[in-house]
Amino acid sequence: MSKPVRAALGDRWITCMFCEGSFFRDREVKLNSSGAEFLNLAWANESATGLICWDCGYVHLFANKDVELYKTKKGEV
Ligand SMILES: [Zn+2]
């Protein structure tokens, strides 16, 4: 089981669009896979960072290499 991470883009922390939680599971998503074509993302021939909300499971997908991930322990801000 991986530890939760916080994520930032530029000088802003990324929070869940649904519950505003700030802890995520991170998962690298390969956009040039058949799965990406299924998601109609075949145009983006690069990897993306998937952030899955720790609390509600909402999946955020960033095709942006500037997303920074910070490992943390939940409850420690
Ligand atoms: Zn959430």
Side-chain angles (χ1 to χ4, degrees):
M1 196 67 183
S2 62
K3 292 194 170 75
V5 297
R6 299 189 77 196
L9 184 55
D11 58 0
R12 295 189 58 183
W13 289 108
I14 295 167
T15 55
C16 176
M17 291 180 64
F18 182 76
C19 74
E20 300 188 339
S22 53
F23 294 94
F24 301 91
R25 296 179 174 87
D26 70 306
R27 179 168 186 180
E28 184 166 306
V29 179
K30 298 296 184 185
L31 293 184
N32 57 357
S33 67
S34 55
E37 285 168 21
F38 175 73
L39 293 169
N40 201 25
L41 291 170
W43 51 267
N45 187 23
E46 56 183 313
S47 64
T49 300
L51 298 174
I52 305 168
C53 178
W54 193 266
D55 293 319
C56 76
Y58 190 96
V59 177
H60 309 67
L61 188 62
F62 292 89
N64 186 328
K65 291 187 175 62
D66 295 331
V67 174
E68 306 260 13
L69 301 179
Y70 299 89
K71 289 207 173 10
T72 182
K73 289 178 184 162
K74 189 169 170 56
E76 174 185 288
V77 179

